[in-house]
Amino acid sequence: MNEALLRSLTPSVLGILVRRGADFAAAEDAVQDALVEAVRVWPADPPRDAKGWLVTVAWRRFLDATRADAARRRREDRIDEEPTPGPAPAVDDTLQLYFLCAHPSLTPSSAVALTLRAVGGLTTRQIAQAYLVPEATMAQRISRAKRTVSGVRFDQPGDVATVLRVLYLVFNEGYSGDVDLAAEAIRITRQLAAAIDHPEVAGLLALMLLHHARRAARTAPDGSLVPLAEQDRGRWDTESITEGVEILQAALARDRLGEYQAQAAIAALHADAPTAEETDWVQIVEWYDELARLTRSPVVRLNRAVAVGEADGPRAGLAALAALDDSLPRHAAVAAYLHERDGDLTTAARLYAEAARKAPNLAERDHLTRQAARLNARRCR
């Protein structure tokens, strides 16, 4: 069973049902039922036209559900519109579905969860694991989100800013999570950049390309994380870096700075440095200042503390960190790193262990645990 094929077909099948008049929630349920049926049937009897098969089965499931609902019996006449067997139209509705899932009435976290479920094809359990919440909690969140957008027409979707936020978060989930959605997020952002002349769309695409360029160097053969300073820069994708920098420069030239352009500028400075020691940390701090002004985000200020520690020394970084709430995600990890650079191995080891307990995913948890163990071993020598 080719799960990647099923996932790639999900947006188009869902889009066809929505265009035929199914509300979003009912269409999404019908498509998921069709996917389950495909997993059961296809290994023994694979269809000639996978997409056409899914459309037919999903539409029948939607009609069955419609008939079962007495309040919706007026939709019975839609049975005449059942698609006939044969190749389904080659239409990619993924970008439209992103707009629909990114409706402004949804919170960003609900929009991302709905997108991962409906467009990304992840199971509720996978999404719950990514967010570190119980499966029942995530099921309720997705159900509420589907109810919210179920009355929204396909041609009345959310706005660009919300779509950008969802794409950014989906890319981050694909970049750091167990399920790879990063390449798909880049593909959709390319479509958006081709359709909309917007500097922040370009900024987001540049940011994705610059981060994705380092993908191959981010993990060791055993799957463990490799910090940026220790990565083999020869494994970075120079074509993606070049493309990302060119897109960023064109966006910055329009003098309409936004948060994604600022983040991309920071990523570009990292990509431009031949070695970690040659990184222009002073300029990175300046870009973090711009980013903090644009976003007012405490997480940005947390990352800025790291950059200050590199540019002006660990004590300056710790001073910047002292102004922030220690309950921020990854606060303990940043504090541990700065204390280690300042020579306080005891405090650093304790903070690495604390950060490991709070880590958002297994790979990061293992990395921080190893850091704590490394410092404890050094102290015992």
Side-chain angles (χ1 to χ4, degrees):
M1 170 56 58
N2 191 333
E3 293 185 9
L5 173 63
L6 287 176
R7 187 173 297 152
S8 68
L9 292 174
T10 297
S12 293
V13 176
L14 181 56
I16 289 170
L17 266 65
V18 172
R19 286 201 308 275
R20 286 183 172 274
D23 68 59
F24 185 88
E28 201 272 336
D29 289 341
V31 172
Q32 294 301 325
D33 286 345
L35 295 176
V36 171
E37 184 70 3
V39 171
R40 186 181 70 83
V41 172
W42 285 11
D45 185 21
R48 292 182 180 179
D49 176 21
K51 182 177 175 181
W53 188 98
L54 287 170
V55 169
T56 300
V57 172
W59 186 253
R60 287 173 178 165
R61 292 301 173 90
F62 165 68
L63 292 174
D64 288 343
T66 299
R67 293 190 194 98
D69 187 347
R72 299 181 181 180
R73 287 190 179 278
R74 62 184 179 276
R75 301 186 184 182
E76 286 284 338
D77 56 358
R78 288 184 182 159
I79 195 166
D80 295 331
E81 300 177 20
E82 180 177 331
T84 56
V91 177
D92 187 350
D93 291 308
T94 309
L95 183 55
Q96 286 180 289
L97 290 169
Y98 265 88
F99 271 95
L100 185 61
C101 292
H103 196 265
S105 58
L106 295 175
T107 64
S109 60
S110 293
V112 173
L114 180 60
T115 304
L116 292 173
R117 180 76 172 95
V119 186
L122 275 67
T123 65
T124 302
R125 175 171 301 207
Q126 287 172 318
I127 301 169
Q129 289 173 342
Y131 278 83
L132 297 179
V133 300
E135 185 176 355
T137 300
M138 183 54 66
Q140 291 175 353
R141 183 181 301 177
I142 293 172
S143 179
R144 285 194 300 269
K146 288 196 292 186
R147 286 197 301 271
T148 299
V149 302
S150 63
V152 179
R153 293 212 313 268
F154 200 50
D155 60 349
Q156 292 184 336
D159 59 12
V160 175
T162 309
V163 171
L164 288 176
R165 180 62 178 166
V166 171
L167 281 167
Y168 173 73
L169 293 173
V170 169
F171 175 81
N172 285 342
E173 183 56 46
Y175 193 66
S176 61
D178 295 329
V179 179
D180 186 359
L181 293 172
E184 177 68 2
I186 291 174
R187 185 181 74 84
I188 300 304
T189 307
R190 284 190 188 279
Q191 288 187 8
L192 187 59
I196 300 175
D197 184 18
H198 192 298
E200 272 293 81
V201 176
L204 179 59
L205 179 56
L207 175 63
M208 288 179 174
L209 289 169
L210 289 164
H211 276 298
H212 205 60
R214 303 200 300 260
R215 183 78 183 264
R218 290 185 73 245
T219 54
D222 62 359
S224 59
L225 291 179
V226 180
L228 176 61
E230 300 172 18
Q231 289 176 14
D232 178 359
R233 300 184 178 219
R235 299 184 65 196
W236 289 1
D237 182 350
T238 54
E239 289 186 8
S240 292
I241 291 173
T242 300
E243 182 185 7
V245 169
E246 289 176 352
I247 292 171
L248 173 63
Q249 288 174 339
L252 291 175
R254 300 177 65 176
D255 198 24
R256 289 169 55 193
L257 183 65
E259 63 174 299
Y260 299 118
Q261 295 170 71
Q263 288 188 60
I266 293 169
L269 286 167
H270 283 298
D272 186 55
T275 65
E277 292 73 23
E278 296 173 87
T279 303
D280 188 346
W281 287 106
V282 172
Q283 194 170 351
I284 287 176
V285 171
E286 292 174 356
W287 275 111
Y288 270 121
D289 288 338
E290 289 287 346
L291 188 57
R293 179 182 61 80
L294 289 165
T295 64
R296 308 294 181 186
S297 166
V299 174
V300 168
R301 294 174 64 197
L302 183 70
N303 292 331
R304 178 185 177 277
V306 176
V308 169
E310 298 290 352
D312 300 326
R315 298 206 174 175
L318 287 167
L321 188 65
L324 301 177
D325 188 341
D326 61 9
S327 67
L328 279 171
R330 297 187 171 90
H331 185 284
V334 170
Y337 174 74
L338 291 171
H339 277 290
E340 180 184 357
R341 292 217 36 230
D342 195 39
D344 186 352
L345 302 189
T346 300
T347 300
R350 176 179 58 78
L351 288 168
Y352 275 130
E354 177 185 333
R357 292 191 294 271
K358 299 177 180 178
N361 57 65
L362 184 59
E364 191 168 334
R365 187 175 306 164
D366 288 346
H367 170 72
L368 292 167
T369 300
R370 282 193 293 270
Q371 295 294 85
R374 174 180 58 82
L375 293 188
N376 284 325
R378 284 178 59 185
R379 289 167 50 221
C380 295
R381 287 174 185 169

